[in-house]
């Protein structure tokens, strides 16, 4: 307030009374009612101030006094008793599932792990919980809970009668105490649930099924299955094979000891299922198959993860270990599980051919998930002769360009060479006088036409050096493609840098030499390059003493 008499600003205490500022020093000059109101307001202000001070002091004192831990700390989380049971969960096989009768909030943020014991001994430990079909379950490696009778006894599953105990451990990430977090739950004796999906598309039905396999005169349980032709798959060869379980695929190609039949291999696809511990062996697949987008080599599946129902290849032509196109089905427990080693495929194939291996009769033990299918397979058992009249068919890669591989130039009349060289510079005269190379590609094949004079007498070869714009593991995209006169129907491809993933390999091809040398190479055996560039061509002659000469070269 401002003192108008002295012209100086003076600080005065004032209160609000009835909405007006009142000078405290002048309050005795006020009317009685105003004085009474001012006194009451002053008393209220003092009371509020003392209350505020007392609250602050109480808070300060509370911070200094020792705390009562029993009343201030939160009570630990407490769990009710779980219930547990063995259940079948598709290709997982047998799992242990638990049910919690309490509130869902009790389990929020908890980590659940389980161990399985039988007769006081741990079978498996540290199994994390998984959500399966809306339930809390623990994966059991089925093969650890069973044994298998000997081959002569038919490959029956042997299950001990002792009950299993699930030891459940509940914990929190920060180590918070959980009351009743450790529980022992009885599961009863182990039960083997089926876990195999059908190995063909759903429209493909089984027609003939046969066992009676022997090795070194000893019977072992396995089945040969022939599918019934269908409108979509009218012949045996080319019928798709599907993975019966989730797992890792291992491929082993058993070569033919006869060099003249080098492509007549026995091809085995073995899927190791970590969910069950079993291996499913599907043998007699073709070495290539169409995966829905492109033709691929079967051996590229080796070491790859597969899911149940995904393509694994197709039934191949009759090979040197069969009399009719079919699939050999064998299920076994390996003595040692695969461990991501380069020779896992060879080790599994060796296990599949040993009499000591624990082979399981998948059909008689009803391991297929479709029980109606199990029953049909049992009814068809040993009825094999009725399928011998089925059409075998061939595995043909479609050719898109209208070319006939006959060694004549007429199909190439409008094509310009990609490489050319002067004529008459061969050291062998007209023989192997390399003059021009023409090249074409479609989605499935590489075609070459080489002008090199008349076909040489004796043994000869040609080396086409190409760049496929697809580097190997060592960084090179250049490959050598060779054809030899004494290896009709074949070509060899490899890199010259010695890289392990592109060592020379021999595959099927078609070539003919009349007016010129004409070659057709399936792109699948070149890993399906999208483009190709010719770098050079070298001619090779081999004399009667096996000595090599190189009469002409073009680049």
């Amino acid at each position: 307030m401002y003192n108008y008499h002295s012209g100086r600003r003076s600080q005065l205490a004032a209160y609000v009374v009835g909405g007006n500022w009142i000078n405290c020093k002048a309050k005795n000059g006020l009317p009685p009612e105003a004085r009474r109101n001012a006194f009451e307001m002053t008393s209220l202000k003092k009371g509020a101030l003392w209350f505020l001070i007392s609250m602050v002091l109480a808070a300060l004192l509370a911070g200094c006094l020792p705390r009562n831990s029993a009343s201030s700390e939160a009570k630990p989380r407490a769990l009710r008793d779980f219930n547990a049971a063995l259940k079948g969960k598709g290709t997982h096989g047998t799992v242990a599932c638990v049910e919690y009768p309490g509130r869902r909030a009790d389990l929020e943020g908890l980590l659940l792990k389980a161990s399985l014991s039988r007769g006081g001994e741990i079978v498996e430990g540290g199994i994390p919980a998984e959500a399966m079909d809306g339930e809390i379950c623990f994966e059991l490696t089925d093969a650890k809970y069973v044994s298998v009778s000997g081959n002569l006894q038919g490959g029956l599953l042997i299950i001990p009668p002792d009950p299993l105990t699930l030891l459940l451990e509940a914990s929190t990430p920060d180590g918070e105490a959980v009351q009743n977090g450790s529980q022992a739950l009885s599961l009863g004796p182990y039960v083997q649930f089926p876990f195999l999906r059908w190995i063909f598309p759903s429209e493909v039905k089984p027609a003939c099924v046969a066992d009676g396999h022997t090795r070194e005169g000893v019977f072992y349980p396995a089945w040969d299955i022939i599918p019934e032709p269908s409108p979509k798959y009218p012949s045996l060869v080319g019928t798709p094979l599907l993975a019966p379980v989730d797992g890792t695929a291992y491929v082993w190609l058993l070569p033919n000891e006869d060099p003249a039949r080098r492509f007549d291999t026995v091809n085995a696809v073995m899927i190791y299922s970590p969910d069950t511990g079993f291996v499913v062996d599907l043998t007699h697949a073709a070495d290539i198959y169409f995966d829905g987008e492109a033709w691929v080599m079967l051996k590229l599946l080796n070491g790859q993860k597969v899911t149940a129902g995904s393509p694994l290849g197709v039934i191949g032509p009759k090979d040197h270990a069969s009399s009719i196109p079919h699939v050999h089905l064998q299920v076994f427990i390996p003595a040692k599980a695969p461990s991501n080693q380069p020779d896992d495929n060879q080790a599994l194939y060796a296990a599949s051919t040993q009499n000591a291996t624990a082979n399981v009769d998948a059909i008689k033990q009803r391991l297929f998930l479709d029980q109606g299918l199990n029953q049909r397979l049992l009814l068809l058992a040993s009825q094999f002769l009725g399928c011998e009249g089925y059409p075998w068919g061939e595995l043909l890669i479609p050719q898109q360009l209208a070319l006939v591989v006959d060694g004549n130039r007429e199909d190439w009349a409008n094509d310009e060479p990609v490489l050319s060289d002067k004529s008459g510079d061969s050291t062998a005269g007209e023989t192997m006088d390399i003059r021009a190379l023409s090249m074409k590609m479609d989605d499935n094949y590489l075609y070459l036409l080489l002008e090199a004079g008349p076909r040489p007498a004796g043994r000869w070869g040609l080396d086409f050096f190409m760049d496929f714009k697809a580097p190997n593991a060592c960084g090179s995209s250049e490959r050598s493609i060779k054809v030899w006169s004494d290896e009709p129907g074949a070509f060899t491809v490899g890199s010259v840098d010695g890289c392990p993933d592109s060592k020379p390999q021999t595959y099927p091809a078609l070539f003919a030499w009349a007016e010129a040398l004409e070659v057709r190479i399936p792109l699948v055996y070149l890993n399906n390059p999208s483009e190709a560039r010719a770098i050079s061509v070298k001619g090779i002659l081999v004399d009667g003493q096996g000595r090599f000469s190189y009469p002409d070269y073009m680049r």
Side-chain angles (χ1 to χ4, degrees):
M1 299 181 67
Y2 191 79
N3 189 327
Y4 291 96
H5 295 283
S6 63
R8 294 181 294 108
R9 187 178 298 275
S10 61
Q11 191 71 34
L12 301 175
Y15 295 95
V16 177
V17 178
N20 299 311
W21 284 97
I22 303 300
N23 189 331
C24 296
K25 291 184 178 180
K27 65 182 178 180
N28 290 332
L30 293 175
E33 184 177 353
R35 288 199 304 271
R36 186 166 53 253
N37 290 339
F39 178 78
E40 290 176 357
M41 289 296 297
T42 302
S43 301
L44 288 172
K45 287 285 186 176
K46 289 181 180 179
L49 179 62
W50 279 111
F51 177 77
L52 179 61
I53 292 173
S54 64
M55 291 297 292
V56 171
L57 289 174
L60 293 173
L61 289 173
C64 298
L65 294 174
R67 299 176 63 186
N68 187 337
S69 59
S71 61
S72 61
E73 294 182 358
K75 292 183 179 180
R77 190 184 316 209
L79 297 180
R80 297 178 64 180
D81 289 341
F82 284 82
N83 299 312
L86 295 174
K87 296 187 177 183
K89 293 291 183 181
T91 56
H92 291 272
T94 302
V95 301
C97 297
V98 295
E99 180 182 350
Y100 184 66
R103 302 176 308 158
R104 178 175 298 186
D106 293 348
L107 304 180
E108 289 182 0
L110 287 183
L111 303 176
L112 299 179
K113 288 189 176 182
S115 299
L116 273 293
S117 67
R118 181 163 52 196
E121 295 185 3
I122 297 293
V123 181
E124 280 188 285
I127 309 172
E130 299 180 50
M132 297 184 185
D133 301 329
E135 296 186 272
I136 301 172
C137 301
F138 300 91
E139 187 75 70
L140 274 60
T141 308
D142 304 46
K144 295 184 177 181
Y145 299 85
V146 302
S147 58
V148 183
S149 68
N151 289 329
L152 289 175
Q153 286 73 43
L156 306 178
L157 291 173
I158 301 173
I159 300 175
D162 304 315
L164 293 174
T165 299
L166 186 147
L167 305 173
L168 180 68
E169 292 290 338
S171 62
T172 63
D174 56 3
E176 175 189 348
V178 179
Q179 287 186 3
N180 199 27
S182 298
Q183 300 184 19
L185 309 173
S186 178
L187 292 169
Y190 179 78
V191 177
Q192 181 60 66
F193 286 90
F195 57 86
L196 295 178
R197 284 186 53 160
W198 184 221
I199 59 175
F200 299 116
S202 58
E203 64 266 35
V204 177
K205 309 302 180 184
C208 295
V209 180
D211 57 359
H213 294 78
T214 60
R215 185 182 296 116
E216 298 175 356
V218 178
F219 168 84
Y220 68 97
W223 293 90
D224 291 341
I225 301 176
I226 295 179
E228 183 178 306
S230 64
K232 190 172 183 179
Y233 308 107
S235 61
L236 301 181
V237 174
T239 301
L241 297 173
L242 306 180
V245 290
D246 298 337
T248 303
Y250 296 94
V251 179
W252 182 253
L253 309 183
L254 183 65
N256 195 319
E257 296 181 357
D258 182 357
R261 303 176 62 193
R262 66 167 67 201
F263 304 125
D264 179 16
T265 58
V266 178
N267 307 317
V269 183
M270 299 157 288
I271 308 97
Y272 174 71
S273 163
D275 292 342
T276 65
F278 288 93
V279 173
V280 184
D281 178 2
L282 302 176
T283 299
H284 304 301
D287 70 325
I288 59 173
Y289 67 100
F290 190 73
D291 69 354
E293 296 182 359
W295 289 85
V296 294
M297 287 187 284
L298 181 69
K299 68 180 183 179
L300 298 181
L301 270 178
N302 187 54
Q304 300 299 309
K305 301 292 185 184
V306 296
T307 57
S310 62
L312 276 185
V314 297
I315 295 179
K318 186 191 85 66
D319 54 44
H320 66 270
S322 65
S323 59
I324 185 174
H326 70 282
V327 177
H328 171 92
L329 170 68
Q330 185 176 345
V331 179
F332 63 92
I333 300 175
K336 181 182 178 183
S339 54
N340 296 321
Q341 300 301 311
D343 61 349
D344 279 343
N345 57 339
Q346 184 176 3
L348 285 181
Y349 183 77
S352 73
T353 60
Q354 293 171 356
N355 286 328
T357 296
N359 293 294
V360 181
D361 192 323
I363 293 180
K364 291 184 178 178
Q365 295 298 291
R366 298 178 176 271
L367 294 184
F368 282 98
L369 290 164
D370 184 341
Q371 292 304 300
L373 172 65
N374 269 321
Q375 188 62 31
R376 179 175 174 84
L377 290 170
L378 284 170
L379 293 174
L380 291 172
S382 300
Q383 298 180 26
F384 207 64
L385 296 177
C387 295
E388 290 186 343
Y390 284 169
W392 289 13
E394 296 181 82
L395 192 63
L396 298 176
I397 301 176
Q399 178 178 309
Q400 296 167 326
L401 295 182
L403 295 175
V404 178
V405 182
D406 56 6
N408 294 314
R409 301 187 187 95
E410 58 184 350
D411 294 333
W412 299 77
N414 299 321
D415 292 276
E416 292 292 328
V418 294
L419 291 177
S420 59
D421 186 31
K422 64 181 181 180
S423 62
D425 60 349
S426 170
T427 60
E430 290 187 358
T431 300
M432 203 65 80
D433 185 14
I434 300 174
R435 296 188 297 272
L437 174 68
S438 299
M439 182 173 68
K440 297 181 181 183
M441 287 178 65
D442 61 20
D443 290 341
N444 295 325
Y445 290 101
L446 169 68
Y447 308 87
L448 303 172
L449 182 78
L450 182 69
E451 307 266 359
R455 177 183 174 123
R459 188 184 179 208
W460 55 266
L462 279 155
D463 185 356
F464 301 89
F465 201 53
M466 314 284 293
D467 184 356
F468 292 114
K469 310 295 184 181
N472 60 14
C474 304
S476 174
S477 60
E478 298 174 351
R479 301 289 185 273
S480 167
I481 292 177
K482 293 186 177 74
V483 294
W484 294 95
S485 59
D486 57 347
E487 295 184 10
F491 80 104
T492 299
V493 59
S495 63
V496 296
D497 60 359
C499 199
D501 73 333
S502 54
K503 291 180 178 179
Q505 299 285 335
T506 301
Y507 299 109
L510 182 64
F511 62 85
W513 196 330
E515 299 174 347
L517 174 66
E518 194 170 13
V519 184
R520 187 188 74 177
I521 297 174
L523 292 180
V524 61
Y525 297 119
L526 301 174
N527 288 323
N528 294 309
S530 59
E531 57 181 310
R533 180 176 67 89
I535 299 174
S536 64
V537 182
K538 180 170 60 177
I540 308 168
L541 294 177
V542 186
D543 65 18
Q545 285 71 45
R547 292 174 299 195
F548 284 62
S549 63
Y550 307 93
D552 201 3
Y553 179 82
M554 176 177 66
R555 64 174 299 134

